[in-house]
Amino acid sequence: MIDLAQARRDGEWLRIPLPDPRPEGLADGTHPHDVRRRLIADGILPEKWLNRLFSVGGIRLENGVLSLKAFPPHDWTDHPLLAGRGEPARAEVLHEDDWCLVLFKPAGMPVHPAYPGMGGTLDEAAVRHVLQAGDPLPVRHIHRLDADTSGPVLYAKNDLAQLRLDEAMREKRIERRYLAIVHGAPRPRAGTIDAPIGKDRGRSPRRRVQPGGDRAVTHYETVKEAGDLALVRVRLETGRTHQIRVHFSHIGHPLLGDTLYGAPPDPRLSHQALHGESLCFPHPWTGRQIAVQAPRPRWFEAAMRRAGL
């Protein structure tokens, strides 16, 4: 049996030593086509990924070592992400290994560009990070945050990581928790908002709860109440655009500073009081759970102090 825990990165290649005696069909000199078929039959690696590796000569078996070309570099030369003007985007690294990267996205920075060549995005920061590290892998975000929401964003650093993390998102195995300051005191203090969300026609970029919208589920618990504000912890089961903002507005508790969804203006806060505090996901190679915490930004701490939270 192949022990994937023994795998080690060697430049572009992932080296996996085979046990003695060798597994049937994996002797030295076995043609890559037959190695691919054996690996597919074992079901321990995605068939789509193995077929892609085989098509580029990325499967080898020599001297008792299975080699898979898992980390090919990406050509970022002249890429639109690096064509933005002004100061290059940078972001704090919360977690990184050969397979994935978690960056802290500050409020005010979009995850991805709205048009080609747009600078100052988290995607640009991710690309610049791997280039400066001398490891130009094809970083791609797995999920997004609103431009004015702070918190952790997960990136895949190769094709296999993207396949597995995208699958984990679809299967709701990536857990995202948030802190929000809302108007009023939600009742009950803990509960679930299960209400479909769709576009608010003629009022872009607003969304609203409406029949026929996409299913959206938000779990929450009240952490503390002070005056006419409350601090709530939120866990997303789905990931619709503006989901937390729409749901809390729908139940009569818009987020502090969120004038788009009915909150009164706050002269000391120019955007919604929403911060992603943690991200938990299965590692794309080992499968073990990775938990990443994001520190509360100063603007959120200041808003909590003013509210007495």
Side-chain angles (χ1 to χ4, degrees), residues 99-163:
W99 300 87
C100 49
L101 170 70
V102 180
L103 293 180
F104 179 84
K105 191 192 82 64
M109 175 186 282
V111 171
H112 59 91
Y115 52 85
M118 175 183 173
T121 67
L122 196 68
D123 282 356
E124 179 195 346
V127 173
R128 292 189 184 279
H129 173 76
V130 296
L131 290 177
Q132 289 168 359
D135 195 18
L137 295 174
V139 282
R140 305 180 186 96
H141 64 260
I142 299 301
H143 66 103
R144 295 174 291 177
L145 293 175
D146 292 349
D148 286 330
T149 299
S150 58
V153 175
L154 175 61
Y155 283 81
K157 293 176 68 176
N158 65 6
D159 287 346
L160 179 58
Q162 184 178 13
L163 282 171

Side-chain angles (χ1 to χ4, degrees), residues 173-210:
R173 291 185 289 118
I174 295 180
E175 182 179 276
R176 294 157 291 164
R177 291 183 182 268
Y178 298 78
L179 286 174
I181 301 173
V182 304
H183 286 276
R187 292 292 182 266
R189 288 179 57 87
T192 296
I193 308 169
D194 186 344
I197 293 175
K199 292 182 178 180
D200 194 345
R201 295 187 181 278
R203 301 184 68 185
S204 179
R206 272 183 58 104
R207 302 295 197 272
R208 66 185 181 94
V209 168
Q210 61 181 353

Side-chain angles (χ1 to χ4, degrees), residues 2-259:
I2 299 174
D3 185 1
L4 298 183
Q6 299 299 314
R8 296 293 180 270
R9 182 181 176 185
D10 179 13
E12 297 182 33
W13 294 87
L14 186 67
R15 312 290 189 189
I16 309 173
L18 298 179
D20 283 322
R22 304 282 172 76
E24 183 180 352
L26 292 178
D28 286 351
T30 303
H31 193 279
H33 170 71
D34 296 317
V35 175
R36 174 181 62 92
R37 291 179 60 187
R38 168 59 197 269
L39 295 175
I40 291 172
D42 284 349
I44 57 177
L45 293 169
E47 180 176 355
K48 180 179 179 180
W49 184 62
L50 291 169
N51 288 338
R52 190 178 302 169
L53 289 186
F54 177 72
S55 70
V56 297
I59 299 177
R60 297 178 182 173
L61 179 52
E62 302 168 319
N63 302 319
V65 177
L66 172 63
S67 297
L68 304 174
K69 198 173 185 179
F71 304 98
H74 184 79
D75 183 7
W76 291 105
T77 306
D78 299 326
H79 195 281
L81 271 177
L82 303 178
R85 299 176 180 177
E87 183 69 20
R90 305 182 191 283
E92 178 186 357
V93 175
L94 299 176
H95 170 85
E96 184 175 20
D97 56 42
D98 288 328
W99 300 87
C100 49
L101 170 70
V102 180
L103 293 180
F104 179 84
K105 191 192 82 64
M109 175 186 282
V111 171
H112 59 91
Y115 52 85
M118 175 183 173
T121 67
L122 196 68
D123 282 356
E124 179 195 346
V127 173
R128 292 189 184 279
H129 173 76
V130 296
L131 290 177
Q132 289 168 359
D135 195 18
L137 295 174
V139 282
R140 305 180 186 96
H141 64 260
I142 299 301
H143 66 103
R144 295 174 291 177
L145 293 175
D146 292 349
D148 286 330
T149 299
S150 58
V153 175
L154 175 61
Y155 283 81
K157 293 176 68 176
N158 65 6
D159 287 346
L160 179 58
Q162 184 178 13
L163 282 171
R164 284 188 159 166
L165 291 173
D166 281 345
E167 180 181 49
M169 278 293 290
R170 289 193 298 271
E171 296 176 353
K172 300 180 175 59
R173 291 185 289 118
I174 295 180
E175 182 179 276
R176 294 157 291 164
R177 291 183 182 268
Y178 298 78
L179 286 174
I181 301 173
V182 304
H183 286 276
R187 292 292 182 266
R189 288 179 57 87
T192 296
I193 308 169
D194 186 344
I197 293 175
K199 292 182 178 180
D200 194 345
R201 295 187 181 278
R203 301 184 68 185
S204 179
R206 272 183 58 104
R207 302 295 197 272
R208 66 185 181 94
V209 168
Q210 61 181 353
D214 295 321
R215 185 168 188 249
V217 180
T218 301
H219 306 281
Y220 73 91
E221 59 176 336
T222 303
V223 178
K224 187 176 180 181
E225 298 174 18
D228 63 348
L229 294 172
L231 178 68
V232 296
R233 178 167 283 117
V234 181
R235 179 173 63 85
L236 290 182
E237 184 173 318
T238 56
R240 308 305 176 196
T241 300
H242 297 180
Q243 178 172 318
I244 295 172
R245 300 164 65 187
V246 173
H247 270 173
F248 277 92
S249 176
H250 175 67
I251 65 171
H253 301 286
L255 274 60
L256 179 69
D258 195 0
T259 56

